[in-house]
Amino acid sequence: MDEENQQNENKNPAFESLDILISRWKDGTFAEIIDDWKWIFSYSVRYKGAIAFYLILGIFSTSMGLVSSVASKYMIDIITGHDSSRLWVMVSIMVGSTVFSLVFSSIISRITAKLSIDINNDIQADIFDKIVDADWLSLNQYSNGDILNRFNGDIGTVSSNAISWLPTIIIAIYNFIATFFVILHYDWIMAVIALGSAPFMLLMSRFMIKKQRDYSKKVREMSSDLMTFEVEAIYNFDTIKSFGIAPHYSKKMRWWQGKFRDISLKYNMFSIKTSILMSVMGTLVQFLAFGYCLFRLWTNDITYGTMTLFLQQRSKLSSAFSNVVSIIPSFLNSSVSAHRIRELVQLPREVHIPESSEMDRYVEDGFRVRMKDVNFSYVEGTRVITESAFEANPGEIVALVGPSGEGKTTMIRLILGLIRPQDGTVSLSASDGKTIEMNAETRHLFAYVPQGNTIISGTIAENMRMVKEDATDEEIIEALKVSCAWDFVEKLPDTINSNVGERGRGLSEGQAQRIAIARAVLRNSPVLLLDEATSALDVTTERTVLRNIVKQHPNKTCIVTTHRPSVLNLCQRVYRVMETKVTELSEEESSRMAMDF
């Protein structure tokens, strides 16, 4: 068994890929590969005209290359035979075919680049739309890094092959057959030598593949470790500076660089040895062909031009064979990437209830948010919310309090319709009693300020217009005033057009929170959700902001998660989330809780 495993590990990628295809055929999973490629071709078919043009140009360019080679043979024969009567004809043919081949190769390269970018953009745009609309729980089974890797790396693999795969294999096969018959036309023995050299080279390289894989894997892993260290260090520069441990990190950086250097140099040495061995083998095959040509030339069976043609086309035939065989791993890799992308595409969509649009007519009156008999679990058997109820009405500020990790943010997700309860209902009710369950279509009626810093790089105005693209400068300034952010924004050199860095770099936590609140105010939705959104504000500013919101929009339903007593004193109702239960507190309990902070 060990010997069998060793043999499998030492296989050339092309042959290994062929074995995989055969095994997939035998175990019945080959249909999955076909399905993956059907999905790829659903994008390719949009560019069928361009693909056909690409194919025609490729075949024509290959043909011109062969014509140029044959013309060069006759030109050499003319010169060595001192017969100049057809010299300029051959020169014209060779130069013309070479120019044609060069022009067409350039056009093909341009078309390939354009189509690859277009199809990459098409797939990314479609996948982005589907990811955004994917069910929240299903999507969160994947890490952000994995999603980004699929979104960029796998889509890049698919897009680079979706257009070129079929033309490439047809052109490669045509090139291989045409080159073989050109050689065969002049000498069948040389054709056999040329045909046998390429597979011989591939078979001889099989024993080196395992070690090459091991080195390649180690280099990639070390590169990932080094990059992880670099990203974490850069992200935590403030902490590193604050603790005065910059020298320690500089020393650690050089240690990682040393490890990466050592493994890279070992891989480089292996590559050099491999290259030498392959060159020696290639030279032996070349000497065999060269020796045969010299023998034929010595016996006057061929001319110098024919000898040049043989040697030149032998190399091309070997390259054409390699291109044909290499398409198999490319075919398989594209299938794997397509399958990984399709996993994201096939994630269940969020729930959309079209009737939700009927709620828009009641925006001015406000909405009641209600939860009734709700049970929810992220993982089966582990309850987060149990048999719980909640209610918030227009004009009210309602608080959710409780220890960290008990389910307050889960409550916000349920209210936003990001997740749905296993039992019970979470609904939105209008002034006339019309009720709709929370879903993706009700989310535009909410403004949400999450925990943490949500400011993006750009101007303050760009941050604000994320939620309202057509907002005027006056509307932005008014929202900033409501959140008490205008006090510091108006003092900036360019006011709302001042730039802020990634994650609000250049702003204090309190300033970043006030801009985030202003952004929610600018959205002007009937329901406002604040998830610990005033934690960085002083008590006076916090109370002023909440009062401004209620005063400006008396029918707004405001729901906050908080630990601040100043907020509790402004709330009409307080709910405690603890031990999976959501319980409404009495006024006395709320007052006592506020005093305990």
Side-chain angles (χ1 to χ4, degrees), residues 278-303:
M278 294 298 292
S279 296
V280 169
M281 291 191 295
T283 301
L284 290 176
V285 176
Q286 185 177 356
F287 280 170
L288 177 62
F290 187 66
Y292 174 75
C293 287
L294 288 178
F295 172 75
R296 297 281 285 165
L297 186 66
W298 181 52
T299 57
N300 295 319
D301 292 325
I302 61 173
T303 64

Side-chain angles (χ1 to χ4, degrees), residues 323-391:
N323 287 339
V324 172
V325 175
S326 67
I327 288 170
I328 297 176
S330 177
F331 172 83
L332 195 59
N333 289 337
S334 295
S335 170
V336 171
S337 290
H339 196 81
R340 283 166 51 82
I341 300 169
R342 288 176 63 211
E343 286 182 355
L344 297 181
V345 172
Q346 293 169 353
L347 290 175
R349 294 181 63 207
E350 289 193 289
V351 174
H352 293 260
I353 302 176
E355 293 79 12
S356 301
S357 60
E358 299 175 9
M359 303 295 281
D360 292 352
R361 70 184 73 168
Y362 305 103
V363 167
E364 293 300 322
D365 298 332
F367 296 99
R368 179 181 68 178
V369 175
R370 188 181 184 191
M371 298 174 59
K372 184 178 180 181
D373 301 327
V374 167
N375 290 312
F376 178 78
S377 304
Y378 289 105
V379 180
E380 187 175 353
T382 305
R383 276 284 168 79
V384 179
I385 304 293
T386 303
E387 294 293 330
S388 296
F390 171 85
E391 184 175 318

Side-chain angles (χ1 to χ4, degrees), residues 487-504:
D487 296 345
F488 69 86
V489 172
E490 68 173 335
K491 297 175 183 177
L492 297 175
D494 298 313
T495 62
I496 63 172
N497 294 312
S498 298
N499 281 295
V500 294
E502 184 182 8
R503 295 178 61 83

Side-chain angles (χ1 to χ4, degrees), residues 235-256:
Y235 185 80
N236 292 291
F237 265 169
D238 290 348
T239 302
I240 293 171
K241 288 177 177 292
S242 300
F243 279 99
I245 54 176
H248 167 74
Y249 267 80
S250 295
K251 182 179 179 181
K252 197 170 183 181
M253 175 70 179
R254 286 165 175 74
W255 181 80
W256 278 111

Side-chain angles (χ1 to χ4, degrees), residues 11 40 42 76 101 104 131 218 240 271 290 292-293 376 382 393 449 456 463 472-473 483 504 536 538:
K11 286 186 177 180
I40 294 174
S42 69
I76 292 172
S101 180
F104 287 134
I131 290 174
K218 289 177 182 178
I240 293 171
S271 298
F290 187 66
Y292 174 75
C293 287
F376 178 78
T382 305
N393 296 301
V449 184
I456 62 172
N463 271 273
T472 64
D473 288 356
S483 70
D538 60 80

Side-chain angles (χ1 to χ4, degrees), residues 568-569 571-574 576 584-596:
L568 298 184
N569 292 334
C571 295
Q572 281 69 39
R573 277 196 304 282
V574 177
R576 179 171 56 197
E584 183 177 0
L585 302 182
S586 64
E587 289 187 20
E588 181 180 346
E589 289 174 314
S590 299
S591 299
R592 187 167 59 249
M593 179 173 285
M595 293 177 63
D596 289 339

